[in-house]
Amino acid sequence: MTQKIKTVIGTDVNLAAQLLQQNEVVAIPTETVYGLAANALSEEAVQKIFTIKQRPRSNPLIIHLPSWQSAAPYVQYIQDELIALATHFSPGPLTLLLPKTAAVPEVVNDGRPTVAVRVPNHPLTLQLLQTVGFPLAAPSANLFGYISPTQPDHVYKQLGGTIPYILDGGPCAQGIESTVAGFEDGQVVIYRLGAISFEAIEAVIKKAVLKNKGSNTVAPGMLPYHYSPVTPLYLVNNSTAILQKGIEGAGFIGFDQYHPQLKKENQILLSPAGNMQEAAANLYKAMHQMDDLKLQVLYAQRLPNQGLGQSINDRLHKAAAKTNGAF
Ligand code: TXA
Ligand code: MG
């Protein structure tokens, strides 16, 4: 790539805004994960995101706005049930796929008829969006395929030397990407499960949603592997399964209980109290920490498959896909 540049981590919203106005790429905090942001209306700026992240241009980006009202120039309309969701979860970890207007450059969504829109719930980023006055295109601020970042040092580890600024908003409160929803054949469809569970969506619209059945609108998602640590990762239902596979040089990401036979320093619990929300917030941090230990193999325990547990299991499953997942 190009020459290395100095990457500064700080809390200066005005500096971040200036850089974005100059078509630079800046990492920004959200309540889900850190984003790699650029002016969505500038083809030159958006192109830099794909280059820095090493992501194929065919994988479309989400545009971030300070309110759903400010989405008006970029979307043709919003279906009533999606308005109900936007109203309920705004600002928050909900991304809507909506029919786009000509104001959205093709580079953002690879020329698709829809654009993904989200109003993130983080005070610094909301202030930044108000200041710049244009939408920010932003994928998660990780290298393509690697673990998403939930704190500034995760971004620095992967992208230090390639971007000028990381806006430090502390650790991400939700810790897992937004839920991506749209509307097809008269029904709400979930393309990517995330920080809002199926159950929470259904409670708002008061009917069943369609879980992504692989419609051709969709790239969301979702490549077979994603969110992956470098260390081979296997999923297990419970800690006894590991014994069959061997515990030499092994690390364990558990839900609420340590594995009795593994060294404590090679283990992380997502939530000792058994709380799904806490587990989601700790998931990527745990994967980063375990990967940094450079062990031979990692095991991660599946969570109960309900509520946010389903979203966490989806990410674990994709993180484990390189090893063929479970055994
Ligand atoms: O929580 C989040 O959503 C984070 C923060 C930074 O906002 N962003 C994020 O972006 O996760 P990214 O690019 O890592 O994931 C966005 C997903 C991708 O899988 C992409 O394929 C899908 O949304 N997507 C975006 N626009 C789309 C479109 N027009 N049609 C179909 N899928 C789309
Ligand atoms: Mg991502």
Side-chain angles (χ1 to χ4, degrees):
M1 242 199 64
T2 46
Q3 259 188 325
K4 288 232 168 208
I5 56 171
K6 185 169 157 50
T7 302
V8 175
I9 303 180
T11 56
D12 189 342
V13 172
N14 290 327
L15 176 58
Q18 251 174 42
L19 288 164
L20 290 163
Q21 277 150 356
Q22 293 159 8
N23 280 348
E24 295 294 342
V25 172
V26 169
I28 57 166
T30 82
E31 79 282 32
T32 58
V33 299
Y34 273 74
L36 189 61
N39 178 357
L41 305 182
S42 159
E43 169 153 10
E44 179 202 334
V46 175
Q47 182 51 50
K48 286 185 186 168
I49 296 178
F50 289 102
T51 307
I52 292 168
K53 195 177 151 87
Q54 298 165 27
R55 165 156 157 160
R57 265 184 65 159
S58 55
N59 199 347
L61 304 176
I62 298 173
I63 65 169
H64 297 69
L65 287 157
S67 65
W68 284 100
Q69 285 73 18
S70 58
Y74 311 107
V75 304
Q76 293 175 32
Y77 55 86
I78 310 187
Q79 294 89 347
D80 287 346
E81 284 180 356
L82 297 185
I83 290 180
L85 290 175
T87 309
H88 189 88
F89 293 109
S90 181
L94 175 74
T95 295
L96 295 181
L97 282 192
L98 300 168
K100 63 152 233 166
T101 65
V104 180
E106 285 205 0
V107 64
V108 169
N109 66 345
D110 200 34
R112 285 175 173 70
T114 55
V115 63
V117 184
R118 140 163 158 80
V119 179
N121 187 13
H122 192 290
L124 286 189
T125 290
L126 286 171
Q127 199 190 327
L128 179 66
L129 287 164
Q130 296 283 5
T131 308
V132 294
F134 47 71
L136 291 176
S140 48
N142 50 284
L143 288 171
F144 186 62
Y146 194 61
I147 310 164
S148 302
T150 54
Q151 45 192 57
D153 61 301
H154 297 162
V155 181
Y156 192 87
K157 184 170 78 168
Q158 300 182 61
L159 301 177
T162 65
I163 54 175
Y165 201 64
I166 299 172
L167 184 61
D168 183 352
C172 302
Q174 307 274 344
I176 196 164
E177 290 84 351
S178 61
T179 294
V180 181
F183 203 78
E184 278 184 54
D185 303 327
Q187 210 179 350
V188 172
V189 188
I190 305 297
Y191 299 106
R192 176 179 73 181
L193 198 48
I196 302 174
S197 66
F198 284 127
E199 292 91 331
I201 300 266
E202 287 175 346
V204 174
I205 58 171
K206 300 192 174 60
K207 20 174 141 151
V209 295
L210 194 63
K211 300 176 185 176
N212 183 14
K213 55 174 176 41
S215 126
N216 54 14
T217 335
V218 186
M222 310 168 76
L223 301 149
Y225 70 84
H226 219 118
Y227 318 107
S228 300
V230 174
T231 319
L233 174 81
Y234 293 89
L235 295 194
V236 293
N237 285 330
N238 54 54
S239 59
T240 46
I242 295 173
L243 294 175
Q244 304 159 11
K245 195 85 180 169
I247 58 171
E248 203 55 45
F252 180 60
I253 300 175
F255 178 33
D256 54 359
Q257 274 176 24
Y258 286 107
H259 187 288
Q261 269 97 1
L262 288 181
K263 289 188 205 146
K264 270 265 175 70
E265 64 263 32
N266 290 352
Q267 302 195 54
I268 295 179
L269 295 185
L270 296 181
S271 171
N275 177 308
M276 298 280 199
Q277 190 87 40
E278 186 184 26
N282 288 329
L283 177 69
Y284 292 135
K285 183 179 173 189
M287 287 199 211
H288 280 284
Q289 284 176 339
M290 290 308 258
D291 214 18
D292 290 345
L293 291 180
K294 303 200 186 318
L295 297 167
Q296 273 156 24
V297 60
L298 299 178
Y299 298 102
Q301 184 185 358
R302 278 195 194 83
L303 269 70
N305 210 36
Q306 62 201 33
L308 281 182
Q310 271 193 78
S311 309
I312 295 169
N313 287 341
D314 168 82
R315 300 303 190 271
L316 286 175
H317 191 75
K318 288 185 176 120
K322 279 186 188 163
T323 59
N324 284 327
F327 60 89

